[in-house]
Amino acid sequence: MSNFEQFHFDFYQSNYTIDDQEEGYNSHGSENLSGSRKSQAGEQPPASAFAPSAMLLSSQSYAGQILQPTYSPDTLSHLSYYDGFDEEPPLLEELGINFEHIWQKTLTVLNPLKPADGSIMNETDLTGPMVFCLALGATLLLAGKVHFSYVYGMSAIGCLAMHALLNLMSIPGVSHGCVASVLGYCLLPMVILSSSAVVVSLQGIPGTLFALFIIGWCSLSASKIFTSALAMEGQQLLIAYPCALLYGLFALLTVF
């Protein structure tokens, strides 16, 4: 037992002193902490050292005044864009819809003896022709005839045939839009014929004479406009003949 007690005493015996090391640690830590505080207080860099160089340059190069914004090139481009947007033409003018020209063309067709203005008639305006084609199909529908496909089909074939013929007869030539515009506007008297067919029957001598009158009216107006727009003086009868054949087909749809 004496050996075991001696071993136990030797095992737990040490020279470690807690008080001395705590005092040394506290003194050493306080010295380090006070030294670090002194170094931070004494060697603290200026605030400008951490500021980015771009901010310093921008603050130095700013030459404006307070509450006065500076305009960049992007801002000026946006301002010019809004100014240009206010100066844009109306939407109807961009789409090529001119009600004054439409009214003048309609009056020219309604009055075959009125001289046509070639500068106006040479435009590719399809607003009036589309309206008159729809009106012709609608009046035929009121008479119990569903002929929308025939109206548009014969209009397309007639425009292509007249375009080829007029390019062979005229020196300057003509566009497809101009031919379609003139033939479509001159379809207005045929709308009058189809409207009368809703009220009375045209299958008789009076109806046939009235249909022949409408065919002559349409062909005379179309030939007059073509000769004035394409400078084809003396060739009106040559142009009126194929126009009469085309409008005769529409008259057949209306009468029968």
Side-chain angles (χ1 to χ4, degrees), residues 140-165:
L140 289 175
L141 183 62
L142 291 176
K145 303 174 184 178
V146 185
H147 292 331
F148 284 98
S149 60
Y150 291 103
V151 170
Y152 286 108
M154 288 190 302
S155 299
I157 296 173
C159 289
L160 293 176
M162 286 298 299
H163 176 263
L165 181 63

PDB file of all heavy atoms in Angstrom, residues 140-165:
ATOM      1  N   LEU A 140     -75.782  41.972-103.312  1.00  0.00           N
ATOM      2  CA  LEU A 140     -76.146  40.693-103.935  1.00  0.00           C
ATOM      3  C   LEU A 140     -76.660  39.704-102.893  1.00  0.00           C
ATOM      4  O   LEU A 140     -77.561  38.897-103.176  1.00  0.00           O
ATOM      5  CB  LEU A 140     -74.936  40.108-104.671  1.00  0.00           C
ATOM      6  CG  LEU A 140     -74.493  40.828-105.946  1.00  0.00           C
ATOM      7  CD1 LEU A 140     -73.223  40.200-106.495  1.00  0.00           C
ATOM      8  CD2 LEU A 140     -75.596  40.802-107.007  1.00  0.00           C
ATOM      9  N   LEU A 141     -76.086  39.766-101.687  1.00  0.00           N
ATOM     10  CA  LEU A 141     -76.556  38.892-100.616  1.00  0.00           C
ATOM     11  C   LEU A 141     -77.969  39.252-100.189  1.00  0.00           C
ATOM     12  O   LEU A 141     -78.795  38.369 -99.863  1.00  0.00           O
ATOM     13  CB  LEU A 141     -75.598  38.977 -99.430  1.00  0.00           C
ATOM     14  CG  LEU A 141     -75.883  38.067 -98.232  1.00  0.00           C
ATOM     15  CD1 LEU A 141     -75.801  36.595 -98.639  1.00  0.00           C
ATOM     16  CD2 LEU A 141     -74.903  38.365 -97.101  1.00  0.00           C
ATOM     17  N   LEU A 142     -78.296  40.535-100.209  1.00  0.00           N
ATOM     18  CA  LEU A 142     -79.662  40.954 -99.873  1.00  0.00           C
ATOM     19  C   LEU A 142     -80.665  40.466-100.918  1.00  0.00           C
ATOM     20  O   LEU A 142     -81.847  40.251-100.601  1.00  0.00           O
ATOM     21  CB  LEU A 142     -79.727  42.479 -99.757  1.00  0.00           C
ATOM     22  CG  LEU A 142     -78.985  43.100 -98.568  1.00  0.00           C
ATOM     23  CD1 LEU A 142     -79.054  44.617 -98.632  1.00  0.00           C
ATOM     24  CD2 LEU A 142     -79.565  42.587 -97.248  1.00  0.00           C
ATOM     25  N   ALA A 143     -80.181  40.314-102.156  1.00  0.00           N
ATOM     26  CA  ALA A 143     -81.051  39.779-103.207  1.00  0.00           C
ATOM     27  C   ALA A 143     -81.094  38.262-103.213  1.00  0.00           C
ATOM     28  O   ALA A 143     -81.736  37.667-104.102  1.00  0.00           O
ATOM     29  CB  ALA A 143     -80.579  40.290-104.570  1.00  0.00           C
ATOM     30  N   GLY A 144     -80.436  37.605-102.255  1.00  0.00           N
ATOM     31  CA  GLY A 144     -80.444  36.151-102.165  1.00  0.00           C
ATOM     32  C   GLY A 144     -79.356  35.481-102.970  1.00  0.00           C
ATOM     33  O   GLY A 144     -79.486  34.283-103.276  1.00  0.00           O
ATOM     34  N   LYS A 145     -78.275  36.188-103.296  1.00  0.00           N
ATOM     35  CA  LYS A 145     -77.195  35.620-104.108  1.00  0.00           C
ATOM     36  C   LYS A 145     -75.882  35.736-103.332  1.00  0.00           C
ATOM     37  O   LYS A 145     -75.411  36.844-103.074  1.00  0.00           O
ATOM     38  CB  LYS A 145     -77.057  36.369-105.440  1.00  0.00           C
ATOM     39  CG  LYS A 145     -78.341  36.377-106.272  1.00  0.00           C
ATOM     40  CD  LYS A 145     -78.198  37.259-107.497  1.00  0.00           C
ATOM     41  CE  LYS A 145     -79.505  37.328-108.267  1.00  0.00           C
ATOM     42  NZ  LYS A 145     -79.386  38.233-109.463  1.00  0.00           N
ATOM     43  N   VAL A 146     -75.326  34.611-102.979  1.00  0.00           N
ATOM     44  CA  VAL A 146     -74.059  34.590-102.244  1.00  0.00           C
ATOM     45  C   VAL A 146     -72.935  34.473-103.269  1.00  0.00           C
ATOM     46  O   VAL A 146     -72.550  33.367-103.683  1.00  0.00           O
ATOM     47  CB  VAL A 146     -74.021  33.436-101.228  1.00  0.00           C
ATOM     48  CG1 VAL A 146     -72.750  33.517-100.384  1.00  0.00           C
ATOM     49  CG2 VAL A 146     -75.258  33.451-100.346  1.00  0.00           C
ATOM     50  N   HIS A 147     -72.417  35.619-103.713  1.00  0.00           N
ATOM     51  CA  HIS A 147     -71.432  35.647-104.795  1.00  0.00           C
ATOM     52  C   HIS A 147     -70.158  36.391-104.393  1.00  0.00           C
ATOM     53  O   HIS A 147     -69.530  37.038-105.241  1.00  0.00           O
ATOM     54  CB  HIS A 147     -72.031  36.304-106.045  1.00  0.00           C
ATOM     55  CG  HIS A 147     -73.120  35.501-106.688  1.00  0.00           C
ATOM     56  ND1 HIS A 147     -73.180  34.130-106.630  1.00  0.00           N
ATOM     57  CD2 HIS A 147     -74.225  35.904-107.402  1.00  0.00           C
ATOM     58  CE1 HIS A 147     -74.240  33.694-107.287  1.00  0.00           C
ATOM     59  NE2 HIS A 147     -74.899  34.752-107.752  1.00  0.00           N
ATOM     60  N   PHE A 148     -69.761  36.321-103.127  1.00  0.00           N
ATOM     61  CA  PHE A 148     -68.545  37.016-102.707  1.00  0.00           C
ATOM     62  C   PHE A 148     -67.310  36.445-103.415  1.00  0.00           C
ATOM     63  O   PHE A 148     -66.416  37.193-103.829  1.00  0.00           O
ATOM     64  CB  PHE A 148     -68.374  36.903-101.185  1.00  0.00           C
ATOM     65  CG  PHE A 148     -69.294  37.803-100.408  1.00  0.00           C
ATOM     66  CD1 PHE A 148     -70.479  37.304 -99.884  1.00  0.00           C
ATOM     67  CD2 PHE A 148     -68.991  39.134-100.211  1.00  0.00           C
ATOM     68  CE1 PHE A 148     -71.329  38.118 -99.164  1.00  0.00           C
ATOM     69  CE2 PHE A 148     -69.840  39.964 -99.496  1.00  0.00           C
ATOM     70  CZ  PHE A 148     -71.025  39.452 -98.964  1.00  0.00           C
ATOM     71  N   SER A 149     -67.251  35.138-103.532  1.00  0.00           N
ATOM     72  CA  SER A 149     -66.087  34.513-104.184  1.00  0.00           C
ATOM     73  C   SER A 149     -66.019  34.883-105.658  1.00  0.00           C
ATOM     74  O   SER A 149     -64.936  35.129-106.201  1.00  0.00           O
ATOM     75  CB  SER A 149     -66.163  32.995-104.017  1.00  0.00           C
ATOM     76  OG  SER A 149     -67.350  32.476-104.599  1.00  0.00           O
ATOM     77  N   TYR A 150     -67.175  34.957-106.331  1.00  0.00           N
ATOM     78  CA  TYR A 150     -67.185  35.353-107.731  1.00  0.00           C
ATOM     79  C   TYR A 150     -66.739  36.804-107.916  1.00  0.00           C
ATOM     80  O   TYR A 150     -66.027  37.139-108.864  1.00  0.00           O
ATOM     81  CB  TYR A 150     -68.585  35.161-108.325  1.00  0.00           C
ATOM     82  CG  TYR A 150     -69.002  33.722-108.476  1.00  0.00           C
ATOM     83  CD1 TYR A 150     -69.890  33.146-107.577  1.00  0.00           C
ATOM     84  CD2 TYR A 150     -68.506  32.947-109.514  1.00  0.00           C
ATOM     85  CE1 TYR A 150     -70.272  31.829-107.705  1.00  0.00           C
ATOM     86  CE2 TYR A 150     -68.889  31.620-109.660  1.00  0.00           C
ATOM     87  CZ  TYR A 150     -69.767  31.064-108.747  1.00  0.00           C
ATOM     88  OH  TYR A 150     -70.143  29.743-108.879  1.00  0.00           O
ATOM     89  N   VAL A 151     -67.175  37.652-107.002  1.00  0.00           N
ATOM     90  CA  VAL A 151     -66.816  39.080-107.103  1.00  0.00           C
ATOM     91  C   VAL A 151     -65.307  39.265-106.974  1.00  0.00           C
ATOM     92  O   VAL A 151     -64.662  39.926-107.809  1.00  0.00           O
ATOM     93  CB  VAL A 151     -67.574  39.896-106.039  1.00  0.00           C
ATOM     94  CG1 VAL A 151     -67.037  41.320-105.979  1.00  0.00           C
ATOM     95  CG2 VAL A 151     -69.056  39.909-106.344  1.00  0.00           C
ATOM     96  N   TYR A 152     -64.712  38.652-105.956  1.00  0.00           N
ATOM     97  CA  TYR A 152     -63.267  38.813-105.749  1.00  0.00           C
ATOM     98  C   TYR A 152     -62.463  38.061-106.804  1.00  0.00           C
ATOM     99  O   TYR A 152     -61.400  38.518-107.226  1.00  0.00           O
ATOM    100  CB  TYR A 152     -62.887  38.342-104.350  1.00  0.00           C
ATOM    101  CG  TYR A 152     -63.312  39.297-103.258  1.00  0.00           C
ATOM    102  CD1 TYR A 152     -64.362  38.984-102.405  1.00  0.00           C
ATOM    103  CD2 TYR A 152     -62.667  40.514-103.100  1.00  0.00           C
ATOM    104  CE1 TYR A 152     -64.755  39.862-101.410  1.00  0.00           C
ATOM    105  CE2 TYR A 152     -63.057  41.400-102.114  1.00  0.00           C
ATOM    106  CZ  TYR A 152     -64.101  41.068-101.267  1.00  0.00           C
ATOM    107  OH  TYR A 152     -64.493  41.950-100.299  1.00  0.00           O
ATOM    108  N   GLY A 153     -62.954  36.919-107.236  1.00  0.00           N
ATOM    109  CA  GLY A 153     -62.234  36.156-108.261  1.00  0.00           C
ATOM    110  C   GLY A 153     -62.195  36.877-109.592  1.00  0.00           C
ATOM    111  O   GLY A 153     -61.128  37.000-110.222  1.00  0.00           O
ATOM    112  N   MET A 154     -63.340  37.376-110.035  1.00  0.00           N
ATOM    113  CA  MET A 154     -63.373  38.107-111.307  1.00  0.00           C
ATOM    114  C   MET A 154     -62.623  39.433-111.211  1.00  0.00           C
ATOM    115  O   MET A 154     -62.033  39.888-112.204  1.00  0.00           O
ATOM    116  CB  MET A 154     -64.823  38.349-111.727  1.00  0.00           C
ATOM    117  CG  MET A 154     -65.537  37.088-112.200  1.00  0.00           C
ATOM    118  SD  MET A 154     -67.138  37.412-112.973  1.00  0.00           S
ATOM    119  CE  MET A 154     -67.983  38.276-111.659  1.00  0.00           C
ATOM    120  N   SER A 155     -62.631  40.039-110.032  1.00  0.00           N
ATOM    121  CA  SER A 155     -61.869  41.284-109.866  1.00  0.00           C
ATOM    122  C   SER A 155     -60.372  41.026-110.014  1.00  0.00           C
ATOM    123  O   SER A 155     -59.659  41.793-110.695  1.00  0.00           O
ATOM    124  CB  SER A 155     -62.173  41.897-108.501  1.00  0.00           C
ATOM    125  OG  SER A 155     -63.530  42.204-108.368  1.00  0.00           O
ATOM    126  N   ALA A 156     -59.878  39.952-109.407  1.00  0.00           N
ATOM    127  CA  ALA A 156     -58.445  39.642-109.497  1.00  0.00           C
ATOM    128  C   ALA A 156     -58.035  39.296-110.923  1.00  0.00           C
ATOM    129  O   ALA A 156     -57.016  39.787-111.439  1.00  0.00           O
ATOM    130  CB  ALA A 156     -58.105  38.487-108.548  1.00  0.00           C
ATOM    131  N   ILE A 157     -58.828  38.471-111.602  1.00  0.00           N
ATOM    132  CA  ILE A 157     -58.495  38.082-112.982  1.00  0.00           C
ATOM    133  C   ILE A 157     -58.586  39.287-113.915  1.00  0.00           C
ATOM    134  O   ILE A 157     -57.747  39.484-114.803  1.00  0.00           O
ATOM    135  CB  ILE A 157     -59.426  36.943-113.445  1.00  0.00           C
ATOM    136  CG1 ILE A 157     -59.184  35.688-112.603  1.00  0.00           C
ATOM    137  CG2 ILE A 157     -59.200  36.628-114.924  1.00  0.00           C
ATOM    138  CD1 ILE A 157     -60.165  34.568-112.882  1.00  0.00           C
ATOM    139  N   GLY A 158     -59.617  40.128-113.703  1.00  0.00           N
ATOM    140  CA  GLY A 158     -59.751  41.316-114.542  1.00  0.00           C
ATOM    141  C   GLY A 158     -58.615  42.311-114.343  1.00  0.00           C
ATOM    142  O   GLY A 158     -58.143  42.933-115.310  1.00  0.00           O
ATOM    143  N   CYS A 159     -58.136  42.459-113.126  1.00  0.00           N
ATOM    144  CA  CYS A 159     -57.010  43.371-112.867  1.00  0.00           C
ATOM    145  C   CYS A 159     -55.732  42.871-113.543  1.00  0.00           C
ATOM    146  O   CYS A 159     -54.977  43.669-114.124  1.00  0.00           O
ATOM    147  CB  CYS A 159     -56.798  43.519-111.366  1.00  0.00           C
ATOM    148  SG  CYS A 159     -58.081  44.448-110.514  1.00  0.00           S
ATOM    149  N   LEU A 160     -55.489  41.575-113.486  1.00  0.00           N
ATOM    150  CA  LEU A 160     -54.295  41.026-114.134  1.00  0.00           C
ATOM    151  C   LEU A 160     -54.371  41.185-115.658  1.00  0.00           C
ATOM    152  O   LEU A 160     -53.373  41.540-116.310  1.00  0.00           O
ATOM    153  CB  LEU A 160     -54.135  39.557-113.762  1.00  0.00           C
ATOM    154  CG  LEU A 160     -53.803  39.253-112.294  1.00  0.00           C
ATOM    155  CD1 LEU A 160     -53.758  37.753-112.051  1.00  0.00           C
ATOM    156  CD2 LEU A 160     -52.471  39.892-111.902  1.00  0.00           C
ATOM    157  N   ALA A 161     -55.552  40.941-116.243  1.00  0.00           N
ATOM    158  CA  ALA A 161     -55.698  41.067-117.695  1.00  0.00           C
ATOM    159  C   ALA A 161     -55.556  42.521-118.149  1.00  0.00           C
ATOM    160  O   ALA A 161     -54.866  42.816-119.143  1.00  0.00           O
ATOM    161  CB  ALA A 161     -57.053  40.498-118.117  1.00  0.00           C
ATOM    162  N   MET A 162     -56.163  43.443-117.396  1.00  0.00           N
ATOM    163  CA  MET A 162     -56.059  44.853-117.762  1.00  0.00           C
ATOM    164  C   MET A 162     -54.644  45.377-117.554  1.00  0.00           C
ATOM    165  O   MET A 162     -54.167  46.243-118.309  1.00  0.00           O
ATOM    166  CB  MET A 162     -57.038  45.679-116.932  1.00  0.00           C
ATOM    167  CG  MET A 162     -58.486  45.526-117.345  1.00  0.00           C
ATOM    168  SD  MET A 162     -58.780  46.071-119.058  1.00  0.00           S
ATOM    169  CE  MET A 162     -58.315  47.787-118.955  1.00  0.00           C
ATOM    170  N   HIS A 163     -53.948  44.880-116.554  1.00  0.00           N
ATOM    171  CA  HIS A 163     -52.564  45.298-116.333  1.00  0.00           C
ATOM    172  C   HIS A 163     -51.676  44.890-117.501  1.00  0.00           C
ATOM    173  O   HIS A 163     -50.853  45.688-117.990  1.00  0.00           O
ATOM    174  CB  HIS A 163     -52.047  44.685-115.031  1.00  0.00           C
ATOM    175  CG  HIS A 163     -50.607  44.976-114.757  1.00  0.00           C
ATOM    176  ND1 HIS A 163     -49.581  44.088-115.063  1.00  0.00           N
ATOM    177  CD2 HIS A 163     -49.997  46.067-114.218  1.00  0.00           C
ATOM    178  CE1 HIS A 163     -48.435  44.605-114.725  1.00  0.00           C
ATOM    179  NE2 HIS A 163     -48.644  45.801-114.203  1.00  0.00           N
ATOM    180  N   ALA A 164     -51.844  43.670-117.990  1.00  0.00           N
ATOM    181  CA  ALA A 164     -51.054  43.224-119.136  1.00  0.00           C
ATOM    182  C   ALA A 164     -51.402  44.020-120.392  1.00  0.00           C
ATOM    183  O   ALA A 164     -50.517  44.405-121.172  1.00  0.00           O
ATOM    184  CB  ALA A 164     -51.287  41.726-119.366  1.00  0.00           C
ATOM    185  N   LEU A 165     -52.682  44.302-120.598  1.00  0.00           N
ATOM    186  CA  LEU A 165     -53.103  45.047-121.778  1.00  0.00           C
ATOM    187  C   LEU A 165     -52.610  46.484-121.754  1.00  0.00           C
ATOM    188  O   LEU A 165     -52.117  47.004-122.778  1.00  0.00           O
ATOM    189  CB  LEU A 165     -54.633  45.001-121.890  1.00  0.00           C
ATOM    190  CG  LEU A 165     -55.256  45.723-123.089  1.00  0.00           C
ATOM    191  CD1 LEU A 165     -54.798  45.070-124.393  1.00  0.00           C
ATOM    192  CD2 LEU A 165     -56.781  45.710-122.996  1.00  0.00           C
TER     193      LEU A 165
END
